[in-house]
Structure formats: structure tokens, C-alpha cells
Amino acid sequence: MISKLVVGDGVATDPKIWRSLTKGRRPFLLSEPLVFKLYGRKVAEGAPLHLFATGEEAKSWASVQKAVGAMLSKGAGRDSVVVALGGGALTDAAGFAAAIYLRGIPWITVPTTLLGQLDSGIGGKTAVNLPEGKNLVGAFHQPEAVVCDPTLLRGLPERERLSGLAEALKIALTFDPPMWKRLRAEWMDLDLSWVIKKAAGWKLKIVGEDERELTGRRELLNFGHTLGHALESAAGYGALRHGEAVIWGLRAALNLSGNFPGRDEADRFLSKLAVPLPPGLSAKDLVERTKRDKKARGGKVRFVLLKGVGKPVVRPVAEKDILRAAEALLEN
Ligand SMILES: NC(=O)c1ccc[n+]([C@@H]2O[C@H](COP(=O)([O-])OP(=O)(O)OC[C@H]3O[C@@H](n4cnc5c(N)ncnc54)[C@H](O)[C@@H]3O)[C@@H](O)[C@H]2O)c1
Ligand SMILES: [Zn+2]
């Protein structure tokens, strides 16, 4: 099932929109203290509520167990619809609770970070972390609707904004040359509703073609993420925002893609956005980490590369080439 996408200033607090989305069912709000204080009362007025912990702490077995316990004691039923209001961590955890409560009840996401609105709040991947690693337990559970309201992003720090925009740059480079052109031209004064509609629209389309990551289509969303993830974990989680690592990962993937018209120009644009890397990173260590990536198959690491802007291909890449790209990344 493809989620309905609702984008616009004020949509998250518009009672008319909520009436049309909940269709007479009872909303149950799952959020976290920081975001709830800012927007909670306006989003699902009067709905029963459970608050997860803020940030990554929400994504644990224990916290999901607490949430489903609260849903039970507050009377959530099959006629309820979970409304998940928060950043990517909150929607991952709340979505997992919705996926397993009474074997799954419907849910609607209201992402409150830019990353959430154009990426992590969309696509139905829900998860919690284990001590052994991130996102190791979860379920595919498509939200009925994704409600993206740019006015909820006003208080976000600049760093979060750039981190989210990295995913929009990824989408544009992978699928959409005109979007790529406009993003660069209007970079200093972007219309966020437009960016969200475009990027979220692409993600929904690709996810709709391959909901459970079986055909390879969804893999294309990983452009820039193989070395990006390696860098994010090598830096120590929290040192780099996800999107900050992805910008470096995009540059490395462009490097591995070989030359095509517009490639160097793309790299120059990204180089201006790339934040300095923490000291002490090693290229060899980055290569080892790409091998542990979920996408590694039969020992070879598969990369999404570009034949041109909007022309993605998936290719196994030899270790020596990954090393070369990792070295180039660290020299920059
Ligand atoms: N399911 C997916 O497909 C997918 C994709 C990418 C990332 N993720 C997950 O998303 C998580 C990261 O999400 P994130 O970057 O949105 O960060 P986050 O959810 O950790 O939120 C970051 C911080 O911003 C605060 N915050 C949220 N909205 C705010 C607002 N409107 N104003 C002020 N502060 C606000 C939060 O309280 C939190 O402290 C990770 O757990 C990652 O695994 C999931
Ligand atoms: Zn990402």
C-alpha cells in the first residue's frame, strides 16, 4: 500500500485534514517530550497519548514494550489509528509499536525533522536497536499517510536542516536531473514544500515498486550511503549527523562512478556543503565497515553508482577501488 502524502504549511494542525485521514477512527498519539511540548496539543487534540524518550533512546525493546502497554491500558483498539509525531527515531519506534500491537494497527506519520519529512518518515521501515547494532529488529509497516508540515521545522537547528537536505540531493542526483538543477540554483532560498514534495514523492514511488527491498529497486535509494554509513559509524554515532556523512558518501560514490557530464560540477557543489571530518579516521577501517554493510553480497560490496545524473546502476566494486575512494575522501 502506498502512503498518501500530504505536504504544506499548516497541514499537521488542520482539523479538516485530520478528519479526512482518520475517517472516524480514534487517534492514539505517540510522541516524545520535546516535540510534544512544541506541537503535540495542536496535532491530535484530546487523543490518548504515550510519550517515548527523546532521540535514539526511544528505539529499544523496553521502550516499545512500555508503549504497547500504555496503548492497551488506555484502550487503543482495532478502530484506533496511531499518529506518530516526532523525528526519525520516534517514528521508527512508534511505527514498530503500531506494527505489532494487536498484530498491527494502522498508523500515520507526522515527521518533525526535515530528514523525517523527506526520508525516514516514509517507506514503512520501522525498527528498534539492539546492543549489537542499529535497526536489527523491526517490521515493514506502511503508514496510511505521511503528513509533512514545513512549519513544524522552524525551530530546527541549521545542522539538522542540512542533514535532511542531503537526502534531497541524493534523490535528485539519482533520479531527477531537473530537480538537481533547481536545487542548486535556488539553494540559498529553497522552497521547502517543493523540496519535500519532490523528494518524498520519489521515495514513495520507489518504495511502491519494491516495498520489501526484494527486487533491487529500493536499493537505489542507497546512493551515497555505503561509504556514508561507514563514515557515520567510524566517526562514532552522534559525531556526524546522518546527512553530513551522506554528503561525503555522495562525493565518494561520484568518484567511483567514473566521469560523466556534470559529475565534477556536482562534486564541486557538494564539496562546499561538506562539513570537516573528525580526526583519526582511516581509509582501511572505512573499507572494512563497507564490507559489513547489509548490502554486501557474496563478499563483494555493491554500490549504487551513476552513469549520469538520473541514471543509477548497482555494481559490485573491488576492494582496491573502495580503498582508493576512501583515501580520496579523507584527503579532501
Ligand atoms: N525508517 C527509515 O527509513 C529511516 C531512514 C533514515 C533514518 N532513520 C532513523 O532516523 C533516526 C534519525 O532521525 P532524525 O535525524 O530525524 O533525528 P531524531 O529523531 O533523533 O531527532 C533529533 C533531535 O531533534 C529533536 N526534534 C525533532 N523534531 C524537532 C523539531 N521540530 N524542533 C526541534 N527539535 C526537534 C528530537 O527531539 C531529537 O532530540 C535514526 O534512528 C535512524 O535510524 C530511519
Ligand atoms: Zn539516508
Side-chain angles (χ1 to χ4, degrees):
M1 184 197 77
I2 298 247
S3 314
K4 184 179 163 78
L5 180 65
V6 186
V7 184
D9 287 352
V11 291
T13 50
D14 183 339
K16 258 205 336 264
I17 285 177
W18 281 106
R19 274 198 298 277
S20 80
L21 292 177
T22 51
K23 301 186 194 103
R25 296 164 301 176
R26 295 178 293 140
F28 192 103
L29 185 62
L30 294 178
S31 188
E32 48 109 323
L34 208 152
V35 169
F36 180 74
K37 210 165 124 200
L38 291 170
Y39 308 111
R41 305 235 177 261
K42 291 185 226 146
V43 169
E45 232 183 333
L49 156 82
H50 172 75
L51 297 180
F52 283 81
T54 288
E56 204 63 24
E57 246 183 87
K59 289 177 63 172
S60 76
W61 275 121
S63 98
V64 168
Q65 191 177 2
K66 243 180 155 170
V68 292
M71 288 160 76
L72 196 62
S73 70
K74 293 180 187 181
R78 296 212 148 270
D79 60 336
S80 300
V81 52
V82 164
V83 176
L85 173 75
L90 181 280
T91 51
D92 274 11
F96 185 49
I100 60 175
Y101 185 69
L102 304 180
R103 301 198 183 86
I105 64 171
W107 71 307
I108 293 170
T109 55
V110 189
T112 60
T113 58
L114 187 54
L115 180 74
Q117 295 195 359
L118 37 79
D119 187 37
S120 58
I122 306 163
K125 281 190 187 176
T126 72
V128 295
N129 304 325
L130 296 183
E132 290 83 355
K134 263 179 73 95
N135 300 329
L136 288 178
V137 172
F140 287 101
H141 188 42
Q142 296 296 333
E144 281 186 0
V146 182
V147 179
C148 299
D149 183 344
T151 66
L152 304 187
L153 306 174
R154 283 189 188 140
L156 272 190
E158 179 54 31
R159 216 177 151 186
E160 296 295 331
R161 191 182 137 91
L162 178 64
S163 176
L165 286 174
E167 302 289 352
L169 294 166
K170 169 199 81 176
I171 290 280
L173 279 167
T174 315
F175 301 110
D176 193 336
M179 178 185 174
W180 171 240
K181 193 167 167 207
R182 181 164 163 191
L183 273 177
R184 280 177 303 150
E186 299 177 6
W187 186 255
M188 299 311 287
D189 186 25
L190 280 174
D191 172 355
L192 276 191
S193 283
W194 170 77
V195 179
I196 294 161
K197 267 185 209 145
K198 277 282 176 192
W202 270 109
K203 178 154 183 189
L204 277 174
K205 176 175 155 28
I206 302 297
V207 168
E209 292 164 4
D210 180 19
E211 260 186 46
R212 289 171 180 252
E213 229 162 35
L214 296 173
T215 70
R217 192 75 181 136
R218 193 164 179 167
E219 201 177 351
L220 299 179
L221 294 168
N222 287 321
F223 181 57
H225 278 59
T226 310
L227 271 163
H229 277 146
L231 191 60
E232 187 180 2
S233 73
Y237 278 104
L240 289 174
R241 297 300 299 152
H242 174 68
E244 292 172 342
V246 165
I247 287 180
W248 283 103
L250 292 172
R251 296 187 68 196
L254 284 173
N255 180 341
L256 285 168
S257 292
N259 212 352
F260 59 77
R263 183 193 72 158
D264 294 345
E265 199 187 347
D267 186 60
R268 267 197 302 282
F269 183 77
L270 295 173
S271 73
K272 286 186 223 132
L273 307 176
V275 299
L277 293 175
L281 295 168
S282 110
K284 277 223 168 70
D285 173 53
L286 292 181
V287 175
E288 286 308 310
R289 286 174 195 269
T290 61
K291 291 198 216 156
R292 275 179 252 151
D293 195 289
K294 280 186 288 222
K295 282 89 198 172
R297 276 194 214 161
K300 281 245 182 174
V301 183
R302 293 153 61 81
F303 272 76
V304 183
L305 301 176
L306 297 186
K307 287 193 290 183
V309 176
K311 293 183 188 147
V313 283
V314 178
R315 294 269 148 80
V317 175
E319 186 167 337
K320 66 171 183 6
D321 294 323
I322 307 175
L323 182 66
R324 181 178 53 75
E327 281 166 353
L329 185 161
L330 294 179
E331 273 160 25
N332 263 294

